[in-house]
Amino acid sequence: MASSQLSQILPRVLIVSRRTVRKNKFVDFVGEYHLDLIVGYGAVPVIVPRVSGVHMLLDSFEPIHGVLLCEGEDIDPSLYEAGDVSGLSPEELEEVRCLHVSDTAIDREKDSVELHLAKLCLERNIPYLGICRGSQILNVACGGTLYRDIGKELARKYKPEDATVHMDYNNYDGHRHSMRVVEDTPLHSWFRESLGQGRMEIEVNSYHHQGVKRLAERLVPMAFAPDGLIEAFFDPDAYNPEEGKFIVGLQFHPERMRRPGSEEFDYPGCPAAYQEFVKAVIAYQKKVNSLMNPKDGPKLDQEMEKKRKIIVRSFSLAKHMYVSGHDMLPSKEQDLEAGVEFLESNTALSLQQEKRLKQMGATVRNASAYLKRLKMNEQREMAARSVMGKMSIEQLSELLSFYHMTGKICSEVLEKKLMAT
């Protein structure tokens, strides 16, 4: 098979580079271990260079089948600190800057690019793996917050001898601290072979002075450091690698957990996050391809075709209602119910959409409450119209396609019907 054909077949994983200075010039780089593992498991890493204005060109990197975010400087605190300030004095912040010089130089361009990609993954259910800074980006994108400095904010709760060391410049790659794994999580399954009965701890590396302070609501912890810091988390509603779903953040670096002087991993489970991530990336690519080529997909039986037509009619009616500004007629409530029930079990909303719907008292995930309050409050009804009116046909089509087989055919028909309405 020609190499050009192979590149079209293999899924694409976007990775944003980190910028450094070498011989008085900027150099963009990505750690080789990340690249080796992505390629080794069957995907193509596509490096997004950290250059000015690249955030305006991200559409050019389509198709995106997965996103891996890893190394980088501290995230701009103005992106997460509103209402949850660190409480550190100017003198303490200066101490932090002096101690962690290479990390505290904020890169707003990188922040902009990575937050855009993280939110894109959340909106479209694109597989996402965040390592170290990448996990922090994920938490911030979902509405969580960070410690500006663990040593100043978290360690002060412990005696010096009891505080967990998260950064050891004198033993950079060799430093380890214990981490308690939460049972029945993806992380537990990856390291199961190394976790005996009643023993749920492993030793992990640590290269960070910041970390998760308040975990976003949609995310669930998978591991904790001895000081209580969350070391790993995932979105349980967006995790099923076989179906192309993977939203995971790891504060530690499993790809660098290797025995001294060897390429052998500390634990057999170390590369599992990458393996499962690429598995999800491959499955996601298949979904996208089947959506683009619906003729190759399975045919629907008569009963399924009937259900599909009902859902299409429901969305067409909803679109007409929101665009025209006409109130919902009681006789049409049953027609709307079919579409709302479908969304109730299959919606993947962005954080902004989720917040707007919560402001009106309900989310699309809570369909019955949504309909009742739509009738009771004209102001909330206007807010709902605003949200739905801003959702593109493509977004609706993707919501339909990602979870059910019916989306493979329904999405194309839906788009044509909505455009004709």
Side-chain angles (χ1 to χ4, degrees):
M1 181 179 294
S3 59
S4 60
Q5 291 176 304
L6 187 62
S7 65
Q8 292 175 2
I9 293 174
L10 294 178
R12 297 154 51 92
V13 175
L14 266 58
I15 308 176
V16 180
S17 66
R18 183 175 186 178
R19 170 166 284 188
T20 188
V21 177
R22 183 174 180 268
K23 295 183 179 180
N24 299 319
K25 293 186 181 297
F26 287 122
V27 176
D28 283 23
F29 70 94
V30 174
E32 61 176 326
Y33 286 148
H34 302 295
L35 303 177
D36 287 345
L37 288 166
I38 294 299
V39 171
Y41 287 121
V44 174
V46 178
I47 298 177
V48 179
R50 189 307 205 186
V51 294
S52 298
V54 73
H55 65 280
M56 302 293 292
L57 306 173
L58 291 178
D59 288 345
S60 301
F61 288 90
E62 297 279 2
I64 302 171
H65 304 122
V67 171
L68 167 64
L69 300 184
C70 39
E71 299 139 346
E73 296 79 5
D74 294 349
I75 301 169
D76 183 353
S78 67
L79 297 171
Y80 61 82
E81 265 201 349
D84 191 12
V85 296
S86 66
L88 299 180
S89 66
E91 293 76 19
E92 288 176 314
L93 290 174
E94 182 59 31
E95 288 180 26
V96 172
R97 283 190 285 269
C98 291
L99 182 59
H100 306 288
V101 177
S102 63
D103 290 329
T104 52
I106 293 171
D107 186 340
R108 290 182 174 82
E109 183 74 23
K110 185 175 174 70
D111 289 347
S112 175
V113 172
E114 294 192 339
L115 280 171
H116 178 92
L117 287 174
K119 291 176 180 179
L120 186 68
C121 289
L122 296 169
E123 291 172 2
R124 287 166 48 179
N125 274 350
I126 299 173
Y128 177 101
L129 174 59
I131 303 293
C132 199
R133 169 190 159 98
S135 69
Q136 297 171 11
I137 283 283
L138 174 59
N139 186 46
V140 171
C142 292
T145 63
L146 306 175
Y147 287 111
R148 290 282 295 275
D149 184 73
I150 297 168
K152 295 292 185 183
E153 295 183 73
L154 185 59
R156 65 175 52 165
K157 301 177 182 179
Y158 298 87
K159 296 179 180 179
E161 60 271 19
D162 296 331
T164 302
V165 177
H166 290 277
M167 176 75 85
D168 186 349
Y169 288 109
N170 296 321
N171 187 21
Y172 197 65
D173 274 319
H175 174 63
R176 301 284 188 271
H177 67 68
S178 63
M179 180 182 77
R180 178 174 59 83
V181 177
V182 177
E183 196 171 1
D184 298 327
T185 61
L187 191 71
H188 181 207
S189 67
W190 301 340
F191 287 90
R192 188 182 302 275
E193 184 179 336
S194 305
L195 297 169
Q197 188 173 5
R199 178 179 173 273
M200 295 297 291
E201 290 189 353
I202 59 174
E203 296 290 315
V204 297
N205 53 13
S206 190
Y207 306 92
H208 60 103
H209 79 100
Q210 295 193 323
V212 172
K213 184 175 184 179
R214 178 175 58 79
L215 189 65
E217 289 183 9
R218 67 182 290 171
L219 304 173
V220 173
M222 294 196 294
F224 296 88
D227 57 9
L229 187 74
I230 297 173
E231 290 280 338
F233 50 87
F234 77 119
D235 183 346
D237 294 326
Y239 184 86
N240 190 329
E242 288 76 12
E243 295 183 3
K245 297 189 288 186
F246 190 102
I247 301 292
V248 170
L250 305 178
Q251 182 61 73
F252 62 102
H253 282 262
E255 82 285 356
R256 294 179 65 165
M257 288 171 56
R258 316 222 177 189
R259 301 187 186 281
S262 169
E263 291 298 291
E264 182 183 356
F265 287 106
D266 290 359
Y267 304 97
C270 286
Y274 291 82
Q275 185 175 18
E276 295 301 298
F277 169 63
V278 173
K279 181 190 295 184
V281 168
I282 293 171
Y284 180 83
Q285 183 200 33
K286 291 180 179 178
K287 283 186 176 183
V288 172
N289 289 346
S290 65
L291 177 63
M292 294 175 64
N293 303 285
K295 293 182 180 179
D296 298 332
K299 303 298 181 183
L300 301 179
D301 57 28
Q302 290 184 351
E303 183 179 355
M304 190 67 75
E305 176 67 14
K306 182 179 179 180
K307 291 181 179 179
R308 181 191 66 78
K309 290 181 177 179
I310 293 174
I311 292 172
V312 168
R313 173 174 171 75
S314 180
F315 276 106
S316 298
L317 181 62
K319 190 261 185 181
H320 177 72
M321 183 179 74
Y322 289 122
V323 171
S324 66
H326 295 159
D327 293 334
M328 179 179 64
L329 298 174
S331 60
K332 299 295 184 181
E333 181 176 332
Q334 186 174 359
D335 291 332
L336 282 176
E337 188 72 35
V340 175
E341 286 178 355
F342 189 85
L343 281 177
E344 184 181 25
S345 60
N346 296 285
T347 299
L349 296 176
S350 69
L351 179 65
Q352 184 180 23
Q353 292 166 343
E354 194 83 57
K355 283 184 175 179
R356 288 181 180 177
L357 288 172
K358 283 181 179 178
Q359 288 174 357
M360 55 174 256
T363 69
V364 177
R365 300 183 198 276
N366 187 352
S368 61
Y370 169 70
L371 285 175
K372 291 177 182 178
R373 298 191 183 213
L374 186 66
K375 298 175 184 177
M376 294 170 58
N377 193 306
E378 182 179 356
Q379 184 177 0
R380 290 174 178 175
E381 181 177 337
M382 291 174 64
R385 289 175 180 171
S386 175
V387 172
M388 294 296 290
K390 291 178 181 178
M391 292 180 71
S392 68
I393 296 174
E394 180 184 1
Q395 288 173 317
L396 290 173
S397 298
E398 288 175 345
L399 289 176
L400 295 175
S401 67
F402 287 172
Y403 291 91
H404 285 283
M405 179 187 68
T406 55
K408 294 179 180 179
I409 296 176
C410 176
S411 57
E412 186 179 62
V413 178
L414 170 65
E415 183 174 356
K416 291 179 180 178
K417 291 205 173 214
L418 292 182
M419 292 180 67
T421 301

